[in-house]
Amino acid sequence: MSRPKVTVIGAGNVGATTAQRIAEAGLADVVLVDIVEGLPQGKALDLSESAPVVGHDCTIRGTNDYADTAGSDIVVVTSGLARQPGMSRDDLLAKNAGIVGSVVAQAAAVSPDAILIIVTNPLDAMCHVAIKASGFPRERVIGMAGILDSARFRTFIAWELGVSVTSTNAFVLGGHGDTMVPLPRYSTVAGIPLTHLLSPERIEALVDRTRNGGAEVVALLKSGSAYYAPAAAVAQMAGAILGDAKAVLPCAALLQGEYRTEGLFVGVPVKLGRKGIEQIVQIELTEAEQAAFDRSAAAVRELVDKLAAA
Ligand code: APR
């Protein structure tokens, strides 16, 4: 049986690290694509030359030509611009929408059965661009955000309580950004809700740090944004899909009535398997939690409306 094929578009920090994780986990052969000539080829060559040391036989190929991506099982989209000095969020939105729309159309044309994993920010809005450009059903367009946000929350919970990160579970809903909705009562340590383990003040401090998790990394790096944790999250999604794991993970999905939301990509728990999103898992929210979810969805709606008006 031949190995699955995963295309990663954008050979920058997130893209190259994702390619590395997927290949080193033995999940799939990887095609790395970028608009810059030589960049994906150089990174793919370097990654290939680490394979004998790491001990895997997945191939990693770099290209600027979408023909090489044909027949991919998964296409990961990380291409885009980072916000530059003087560039407004809206400028970034329009620029990245152009990039994501163009790369998704080219990739979808040669891999019509692929599952798209979108990473480029602003994430939820870029998922809307991708579903439109591909014409794919909602099962096959998935945004990576919730795993990253909940991984950040889990890290801070583990540090706070001095326990293994593997004993923690965290639940984060909503859009990827300032309005994300961490749910402490569904976040646990070995099954014990966080609300039984920490004071409301300490929980609020951890929630706050989670909300600002991306910005905290940016402030330290000074140029560029996080990529190790985002790449790990994408690799987990790819593993769940290719292994048909039916793993329940928080991802951005197009809601069609679920969580009282219509026609918007927002982060919710989904079941991931070989068909992509196999189920949107609905959980009961309190009125306050639903209100926070609604505010988060409204922030996504605002960006999507801006895109439609552009
Ligand atoms: N086609 C292909 N690749 C492109 C295109 C395009 N039209 N436009 C830009 N790229 C490539 C760039 O050449 C660059 O190599 O996308 C890559 C982006 O890489 P980085 O600048 O290193 O950004 P990275 O840190 O990887 O983040 C990528 O993921 O987490 C999000 O907010 C982040 O939107 C950003 C994206």
Side-chain angles (χ1 to χ4, degrees):
M1 207 178 85
S2 66
R3 257 187 298 271
K5 178 172 178 177
V6 173
T7 286
V8 180
I9 306 176
N13 284 336
V14 177
T17 313
T18 298
Q20 178 184 5
R21 284 201 182 269
I22 288 175
E24 290 187 355
L27 286 176
D29 290 332
V30 179
V31 179
L32 194 54
V33 187
D34 204 282
I35 199 165
V36 177
E37 282 179 25
L39 180 72
Q41 291 86 348
K43 291 199 179 180
L45 179 61
D46 193 8
L47 283 168
S48 300
E49 289 166 352
S50 64
V53 183
V54 177
H56 71 81
D57 284 301
C58 294
T59 62
I60 304 145
R61 176 168 178 194
T63 184
N64 309 106
D65 182 354
Y66 284 85
D68 295 325
T69 71
S72 293
D73 297 285
I74 295 178
V75 174
V76 181
V77 178
T78 77
S79 52
L81 299 180
R83 198 164 152 198
Q84 312 285 336
M87 194 191 259
S88 73
R89 271 179 201 278
D90 289 357
D91 291 342
L92 182 70
L93 177 73
K95 287 229 159 57
N96 280 354
I99 292 171
V100 169
S102 133
V103 304
V104 165
Q106 293 177 81
V110 293
S111 298
D113 300 320
I115 292 167
L116 297 176
I117 299 178
I118 309 301
V119 185
T120 306
N121 276 316
L123 191 269
D124 308 275
M126 292 307 114
C127 291
H128 281 266
V129 173
I131 200 166
K132 197 164 160 209
S134 62
F136 286 1
R138 73 165 176 163
E139 293 73 27
R140 292 197 282 120
V141 182
I142 317 168
M144 187 293 293
I147 298 174
L148 171 62
D149 295 331
S150 55
R152 287 179 171 145
F153 198 17
R154 290 174 64 188
T155 306
F156 305 142
I157 293 168
W159 288 349
E160 178 81 11
L161 292 168
V163 298
S164 164
V165 288
T166 60
S167 301
T168 64
N169 229 306
F171 218 97
V172 177
L173 295 177
H176 183 48
D178 309 338
T179 61
M180 72 175 76
V181 185
L183 294 186
R185 81 193 167 95
Y186 284 120
S187 301
T188 60
V189 176
I192 307 161
L194 206 52
T195 42
H196 293 212
L197 297 168
L198 287 171
S199 68
E201 295 72 34
R202 285 312 301 154
I203 292 176
E204 196 43 45
L206 303 188
V207 162
D208 223 55
R209 191 167 178 194
T210 302
R211 271 205 196 98
N212 296 316
E216 187 178 359
V217 174
V218 169
L220 289 165
L221 293 180
K222 299 195 177 66
S223 74
S225 50
Y227 54 100
Y228 291 115
V234 175
Q236 185 180 32
M237 291 168 71
I241 292 166
L242 296 172
D244 196 25
K246 321 288 186 198
V248 177
L249 294 166
C251 298
L254 182 65
L255 300 183
Q256 291 172 334
E258 299 90 354
Y259 291 90
R260 299 203 315 223
T261 304
E262 186 60 53
L264 264 193
F265 273 89
V266 192
V268 291
V270 302
K271 191 176 11 171
L272 284 189
R274 195 61 194 82
K275 297 191 184 78
I277 295 178
E278 301 192 352
Q279 190 192 338
I280 291 180
V281 178
Q282 299 213 57
I283 56 159
E284 214 147 291
L285 299 181
T286 62
E287 273 311 308
E289 288 163 351
Q290 181 71 47
F293 187 92
D294 292 345
R295 274 196 299 280
S296 190
V300 177
R301 170 82 66 198
E302 202 179 305
L303 290 185
V304 173
D305 288 347
K306 267 190 192 141
L307 276 179

